[in-house]
Every structure is written in C-alpha cells, then in structure tokens.
Amino acid sequence: MAETKKNDYVHGSLAEKIQYDPYEDNAILKSKKIARDNKRVKVRIISSIFSCFSNVYCCYAQICTNQ
C-alpha cells in the first residue's frame, strides 16, 4: 500500500514521499471528492452560460441605444 521510490524528491527535503491516496480506500472521502468535483463543473457551466447571456444582452443594448 505504501510504496516508496529511491529517487523521489519532496520540496527541499531528503524524505521519501509515500505514494498513498486516502480517497481510494475511504468511501466517505471518495464520495466527498466526487461531489466537490461535480460542484466545480456545475459552477463552471453556470458561469459560462451567464457570461454568454450577459454578452448577448450587452450587444442587444448597444444596438437598441444606437437607433
């Protein structure tokens, strides 16, 4: 489970980095990580949709004020 490599270098220390991912073993942490990733995707999608609609609205407002 905890594997080390001979030449792992960890930010200025001589300690070997242990390759261990707690999210693989713990079901609760795994579900929280999935939920967090899904939330990030949803926020990114909503913000991109909002920016598209605001851009269209600004263009429409400029067209209407120039007439």
Side-chain angles (χ1 to χ4, degrees):
M1 183 148 76
E3 298 174 3
T4 58
K5 293 182 182 178
K6 287 255 183 196
N7 296 327
D8 277 347
Y9 184 74
V10 183
H11 302 289
S13 112
L14 295 176
E16 292 183 354
K17 183 176 180 181
I18 297 174
Q19 301 294 331
Y20 170 70
D21 188 16
Y23 295 102
E24 290 180 5
D25 297 335
N26 194 335
I28 295 172
L29 289 177
K30 193 174 194 178
S31 66
K32 285 184 178 183
K33 182 179 180 183
I34 291 171
R36 186 173 54 243
D37 292 343
N38 289 341
K39 184 178 178 181
R40 288 179 184 157
V41 170
K42 288 177 188 176
V43 167
R44 189 176 300 140
I45 289 171
I46 290 172
S47 64
S48 63
I49 290 172
F50 178 73
S51 66
C52 288
F53 280 121
S54 64
N55 193 8
V56 169
Y57 182 73
C58 288
C59 290
Y60 180 72
Q62 287 178 352
I63 290 171
C64 289
T65 56
N66 289 334
Q67 290 180 354

